[in-house]
Amino acid sequence: MAMTMTQKILAAHAGLDEVVPGQLIEADIDLVLANDITGPVAIRELKKAGMDKVFDKDKVALVMDHFVPNKDIKSAEQCVECRDFAREHGIVNFFDVGRMGIEHALLPEQGLVAAGDCIIGADSHTCTYGALGAFSTGVGSTDCAAGIATGKAWFRVPSAIKVVLTGKKAPWVSGKDVILHLIGEIGVDGALYQSLEFTGEGVAELTMDDRFSIANMAIEAGAKNGIFPVDDKTVAYMEGRVPRAWKVFEADADAEYERTVEIDLSTLRPTVSVPHLPENAKPVEEVAGTEIQQAVIGSCTNGRIEDMRVAADILRGRHVAPGVRAIVIPATQEVYLRCIREGLAEVFIEAGAVISTPTCGPCLGGYMGILAAGERAISTTNRNFVGRMGHVDSEVYLSSPAVAAASAVTGVITDPATL
Amino acid sequence: MNAHGTVFKYGDNVDTDVIIPARYLNIADPDELATHAMEDIDATFVKRVKPGDIIVANRNFGCGSSREHAPLVIKQNGVSCVIAASFARIFYRNAINIGLPILECAEAADKIADGDEVEIDFSTGVIRDVTRGESYQALAFPEFINGIIEHGGLLNSLKARGV
């Protein structure tokens, strides 16, 4: 039977010639990820179950990124648990302050994930690595614990939605606009239990950072994973980073899909998702003029170097509007360093923005930019749920870095083309 | 196994940020964590909920983050079952893995109202709304998942298999 790209990767990792949607399988895992929020829970579960072991010390990644440098005593204690576990088990890929970055920007950058891999992570945005042509999905701490101890995970083989991309993007349109538009089309549970498989000539128009943003937010449509075909750009990204062989899988031409969604990139506008669901996607002109008090540029969705460059292009020679706090968070140490070397850091500071060290921080209402009651933020993050960035009566509008930077300059939600 | 309790009814897309806001994810103690359950969607939930009570919601319950703290705080408050028209997939796995009973049943999610008295027979998947005098049939779990539930969670079921 013909298979999708995801189904082929799962079959290969389950030692099967073929799999069908709905089939329950046990697959070998190439990498298991946890962070400073989900890691301690996984570690406690392992100890409680008397399974305090690691299947392969090279294939477990622990990234301290949510609340570090630690925001308080409790989060410091959670990092101690992870640090001790990493030391006891000789975990090579333990990323602490100084080495760390936001996990889903860091692991691809460090060459720890590659095409054809099967990856689980105790973080919902683990689906990001689908940009490289890997199967990767978010799980909870107990699934993660089982993966750490055994190197295996169970899956129900997903059916898929085929997303066909055509055309070329207009200026100021990015991967973020593609995924916000798609979630607007199919809804926050539009791909529940399914894969989002991206294809079409439009894929070649997308940079790797665009693809990371898109795959990252597959979960916001309820998807199990989002995945891109491997092309020259993917290979160029992995070369020099991934120190091992990778495997390219392709969907069969006659693979079956639950449905097909077509997106002509040339028709997309800079897009904003209004509170309180990512599916509330609108062209920027429909919400232009909405007053903001904070702009956040960063996160696992949009904290990569291209995001920083776009934001800097808009902020260069301009200034953040009075009454607006602009917070720029490069996702990794490497991105941070490039911001400094390319002069972007100067642009941000001269424009009146602050630059934070890498952290998930404000995206999930942790710290480094919490909103008070009645406040509104434009943010390049991935969720605008009630209370996500702070007070239950605050609001988050999701956008690309270009829209967030333009809005920071004017103090109201702004189409960058109108600056 | 059976459940019997009063229903707390919610709508579509109840996300993990309202089930347990991330500002509390630095708390390790499950009992302390549980005092903040549902805080941002229903500030009085923790005060009103009694052991055995049942949460009923519509589509996509538990969407968002992978935090296992979400099913944990519901379980820790004594909730005997969550019934929804559909569950977000990570929440679904997490609930099974930690032993929080969940049932998918669109009809029950549609018809059961807040405050109704509901009984559940987990062996048959029959949900009975005592207040309304109506019964609904939930979807059955695959055998593999029943195995995890019967062993009291994923890690115990792996141990039982000698993994």
Side-chain angles (χ1 to χ4, degrees):
Chain A
M1 190 186 152
M3 290 188 282
T4 65
M5 194 173 170
T6 298
Q7 289 159 4
K8 283 192 177 177
I9 297 174
L10 287 175
H13 284 80
L16 301 170
D17 291 333
E18 67 166 39
V19 294
V20 294
Q23 185 177 347
L24 286 158
I25 58 159
E26 192 167 61
D28 289 327
I29 300 301
D30 295 303
L31 189 78
V32 184
L33 162 73
N35 58 49
D36 52 321
I37 301 290
T38 58
V41 179
I43 292 164
R44 281 175 227 144
E45 288 301 315
L46 281 174
K47 290 184 174 167
K48 207 163 73 186
M51 294 171 75
D52 191 7
K53 58 176 183 176
V54 168
F55 87 103
D56 185 334
K57 65 183 176 55
D58 296 322
K59 293 185 177 178
V60 174
L62 281 173
V63 184
M64 306 298 96
D65 61 357
H66 277 58
F67 295 160
V68 301
N70 291 128
K71 75 188 183 88
D72 55 21
I73 295 168
K74 285 175 176 169
S75 50
E77 285 170 345
Q78 300 208 129
C79 284
V80 168
E81 281 184 77
C82 295
R83 211 170 279 132
D84 289 349
F85 184 82
R87 194 185 310 111
E88 281 163 26
H89 294 280
I91 290 172
V92 178
N93 297 306
F94 174 66
F95 294 94
D96 210 336
V97 174
R99 263 186 96 203
M100 56 71 71
I102 299 175
E103 50 201 345
H104 308 308
L106 183 73
L107 298 192
E109 178 193 284
Q110 296 292 315
L112 288 169
V113 287
D117 282 357
C118 179
I119 301 151
I120 59 168
D123 188 278
S124 59
H125 294 107
T126 302
C127 50
T128 308
Y129 320 131
L132 295 171
F135 170 80
S136 66
T137 193
V139 296
S141 292
T142 298
D143 272 318
C144 172
I148 289 173
T150 68
K152 292 176 188 297
W154 67 269
F155 299 108
R156 188 166 80 173
V157 175
S159 60
I161 295 176
K162 186 180 190 178
V163 183
V164 182
L165 305 177
T166 59
K168 289 180 195 290
K169 289 180 290 154
W172 303 119
V173 172
S174 68
K176 182 63 166 289
D177 303 294
V178 176
I179 189 65
L180 291 180
H181 173 81
L182 175 62
I183 297 165
E185 287 286 303
I186 68 175
V188 291
D189 62 351
L192 198 57
Y193 306 128
Q194 297 175 321
S195 305
L196 284 171
E197 298 219 345
F198 294 90
T199 183
E201 69 201 32
V203 169
E205 297 298 317
L206 301 171
T207 65
M208 286 314 297
D209 285 2
D210 283 327
R211 299 179 202 183
F212 283 122
S213 288
I214 293 171
N216 172 274
M217 287 189 71
I219 178 70
E220 310 316 333
K224 183 172 214 142
N225 68 312
I227 194 164
F228 278 85
V230 176
D231 65 8
D232 294 349
K233 284 184 184 169
T234 328
V235 171
Y237 183 91
M238 292 189 292
E239 275 174 352
R241 295 178 192 270
V242 180
R244 58 188 164 93
W246 58 77
K247 188 160 183 207
V248 176
F249 290 84
E250 287 178 15
D252 288 321
D254 54 347
E256 284 181 19
Y257 298 89
E258 292 280 329
R259 63 186 282 206
T260 298
V261 178
E262 290 184 26
I263 298 177
D264 178 352
L265 299 174
S266 70
T267 64
L268 294 188
R269 297 280 305 133
T271 301
V272 176
S273 286
V274 308
H276 286 286
L277 286 173
E279 71 184 19
N280 300 333
K282 297 175 187 300
V284 64
E285 52 270 24
E286 287 186 24
V287 286
T290 307
E291 199 177 310
I292 56 153
Q293 288 76 44
Q294 180 164 295
V296 175
I297 298 166
S299 81
C300 61
T301 314
N302 281 123
R304 298 180 181 80
I305 190 63
E306 281 178 14
D307 303 313
M308 299 294 122
R309 288 179 187 144
V310 167
D313 284 347
I314 287 171
L315 291 171
R316 191 173 286 112
R318 297 193 172 100
H319 204 277
V320 171
V324 175
R325 291 103 57 186
I327 302 165
V328 179
I329 311 176
T332 66
Q333 290 284 83
E334 185 181 307
V335 175
Y336 200 114
L337 194 55
R338 286 171 83 171
C339 283
I340 292 169
R341 288 186 175 150
E342 294 182 17
L344 312 183
E346 269 184 48
V347 172
F348 295 138
I349 292 170
E350 283 175 356
V354 294
I355 311 172
S356 163
T357 54
T359 178
C360 305
C363 171
L364 75 164
Y367 70 122
M368 198 62 75
I370 302 303
L371 300 173
E375 289 194 316
R376 186 180 296 127
I378 185 102
S379 177
T380 69
T381 53
N382 42 55
R383 293 192 176 126
N384 55 356
F385 298 152
V386 170
R388 174 75 179 178
M389 198 175 276
H391 196 278
V392 66
D393 294 325
S394 61
E395 291 184 337
V396 176
Y397 284 60
L398 303 176
S399 79
S400 67
V403 171
S407 307
V409 168
T410 61
V412 295
I413 294 177
T414 298
D415 178 352
T418 64
L419 269 188
Chain B
M1 191 169 74
N2 293 303
H4 182 185
T6 304
V7 166
F8 288 72
K9 181 82 185 274
Y10 303 103
D12 289 334
N13 305 313
V14 173
D15 64 76
T16 53
D17 279 288
V18 294
I19 297 172
I20 182 68
R23 58 183 176 274
Y24 301 121
L25 296 185
N26 56 358
I27 298 171
D29 175 28
D31 289 325
E32 187 188 347
L33 203 56
T35 63
H36 301 291
M38 310 300 279
E39 189 173 290
D40 284 358
I41 192 175
D42 182 352
T44 65
F45 172 80
V46 170
K47 286 192 195 113
R48 295 185 292 134
V49 70
K50 300 181 301 300
D53 283 350
I54 294 162
I55 289 176
V56 180
N58 291 324
R59 290 184 307 128
N60 204 26
F61 186 89
C63 63
S65 154
S66 69
R67 65 190 69 154
E68 210 160 279
H69 314 68
L72 182 72
V73 296
I74 292 173
K75 187 183 176 192
Q76 206 72 12
N77 273 291
V79 170
S80 61
C81 183
V82 182
I83 300 168
S86 62
F87 290 90
R89 58 163 288 276
I90 305 178
F91 184 93
Y92 180 96
R93 290 180 75 109
N94 286 348
I96 289 162
N97 286 344
I98 68 155
L100 170 69
I102 56 171
L103 291 174
E104 264 187 11
C105 182
E107 194 187 5
D110 182 42
K111 293 191 173 162
I112 295 174
D114 191 57
D116 282 3
E117 184 189 346
V118 163
E119 286 176 351
I120 299 163
D121 182 340
F122 286 108
S123 64
T124 61
V126 171
I127 300 163
R128 198 171 109 75
D129 187 325
V130 178
T131 308
R132 262 153 230 282
E134 287 182 352
S135 293
Y136 319 104
Q137 179 66 52
L139 292 178
F141 285 119
E143 200 174 324
F144 173 80
I145 290 177
N146 271 329
I148 296 175
I149 296 168
E150 280 161 20
H151 284 101
L154 178 66
L155 295 184
N156 286 336
S157 77
L158 289 175
K159 275 170 71 182
R161 281 168 50 197
V163 175

